[in-house]
Structures are given as structure tokens and as C-alpha cells.
Amino acid sequence: MVCLFWWILAIMLSFGGMPQDIKIDPWGEVRYVADMMANGLHLVDPVRLVTIGFLPTGKGTHGLYPTRDATAMYGILR
């Protein structure tokens, strides 16, 4: 739980947004962060805690849900 707190704090400070959900890719190489204020999905390097990409998804990106086979992920809008 403490680790998640520091993740959210670091993301809020670096992006200035409002992160809502964090998911890890199956290989542990990328963290996907749904950001409601940025209206998209940040791709974050878990070691350096820097943004390596951004996917605009629409207004109010709120949640992330992977498919059962982990081949796709859905971004839920508020």
C-alpha cells in the first residue's frame, strides 16, 4: 500500500494531472496511468519514473481494464 502511495505522489508531481488508475504490463516494463485531467493514458518507465509515451483516449479517462488474455486494455471514460 505504501508503494502505491509513492507511485501516485510521484505521478501527480511529475505530470500535474489527476491519476485515477495504474496498471502494469504483463512483462513489468511499463506502467499505464489513466489521467483524468490529461484525458489520456501515460506510459511510465517504472525504474526511472519518467513518461515514455502518452495515448490520448478522450475526456475523463478514469479506469483501465485488461482483457482476460491480457492482449488488450480498455480505457474507461467518466
Side-chain angles (χ1 to χ4, degrees):
M1 209 53 194
V2 173
C3 183
L4 181 60
F5 169 77
W6 287 112
W7 258 97
I8 293 171
L9 180 62
I11 290 164
M12 287 178 72
L13 292 175
S14 63
F15 302 133
M18 188 184 293
Q20 298 295 311
D21 197 3
I22 300 172
K23 295 289 190 247
I24 303 169
D25 78 330
W27 300 276
E29 298 172 351
V30 178
R31 304 297 191 261
Y32 299 95
V33 181
D35 190 339
M36 196 165 144
M37 296 297 283
N39 299 325
L41 195 65
H42 295 282
L43 283 65
V44 178
D45 182 327
V47 176
R48 297 180 294 147
L49 282 179
V50 296
T51 305
I52 55 176
F54 181 76
L55 299 170
T57 56
K59 188 173 182 179
T61 305
H62 196 264
L64 300 171
Y65 295 95
T67 58
R68 289 184 183 189
D69 61 359
T71 58
M73 186 166 15
Y74 297 100
I76 306 303
L77 306 179
R78 192 154 224 204

